[in-house]
Amino acid sequence: MAQNCSLREVDGESMVLALQPQHMHLAVEPLTSQMEEKVSRALDRRVRFRFVADRGNLGTPAERRAQAASDAQARAEASMDADPLVQALKRDFDARVIPQSIKPVEPGT
């Protein structure tokens, strides 16, 4: 649930978290109380959540992760297309690259 939330407001011990409508079903017990407990422990103070539906671009961790994966895929495809060997294979053998076969390399591998 936390991966799909965006912080909207903090007022004392209350935090307003926005969820897109398709994720509002996640804002139920026991998920909410477990998340409140973990955040309260991390902040060393009592925290209560209030969830609101929001259709805007929330910038949630899940959205940022999906955008990063999309960006990495686009870079991998562009890198493959720019590779001199790939260009030669296309030119000399009428080869083609299947975009779904290209996978980004994870950092450190």
Side-chain angles (χ1 to χ4, degrees), residues 3-56:
Q3 293 295 315
N4 292 293
C5 290
S6 176
L7 180 63
R8 284 292 179 243
E9 181 181 326
V10 177
D11 183 19
E13 67 179 40
S14 177
M15 290 185 174
V16 178
L17 301 174
L19 284 166
Q20 289 184 342
Q22 69 265 27
H23 297 296
M24 283 299 289
H25 70 280
L26 299 172
V28 295
E29 290 295 337
L31 295 176
T32 56
S33 61
Q34 289 172 357
M35 196 165 111
E36 284 175 346
E37 182 180 313
K38 289 178 181 181
V39 171
S40 294
R41 212 174 318 130
L43 296 176
D44 199 28
R45 64 183 180 93
R46 183 73 185 131
V47 173
R48 287 281 186 209
F49 294 136
R50 184 169 57 91
F51 295 91
V52 296
D54 190 343
R55 295 185 187 278

Side-chain angles (χ1 to χ4, degrees), residues 30-100:
L31 295 176
T32 56
S33 61
Q34 289 172 357
M35 196 165 111
E36 284 175 346
E37 182 180 313
K38 289 178 181 181
V39 171
S40 294
R41 212 174 318 130
L43 296 176
D44 199 28
R45 64 183 180 93
R46 183 73 185 131
V47 173
R48 287 281 186 209
F49 294 136
R50 184 169 57 91
F51 295 91
V52 296
D54 190 343
R55 295 185 187 278
N57 184 4
L58 301 178
T60 66
E63 289 172 335
R64 287 191 297 275
R65 188 174 49 251
Q67 184 61 52
S70 176
D71 292 348
Q73 181 67 29
R75 284 190 305 276
E77 290 175 16
S79 175
M80 181 65 69
D81 196 46
D83 184 272
L85 177 60
V86 172
Q87 290 177 354
L89 290 170
K90 285 180 173 182
R91 181 187 63 244
D92 297 343
F93 299 103
D94 199 28
R96 66 183 180 91
V97 175
I98 300 169
Q100 299 85 355

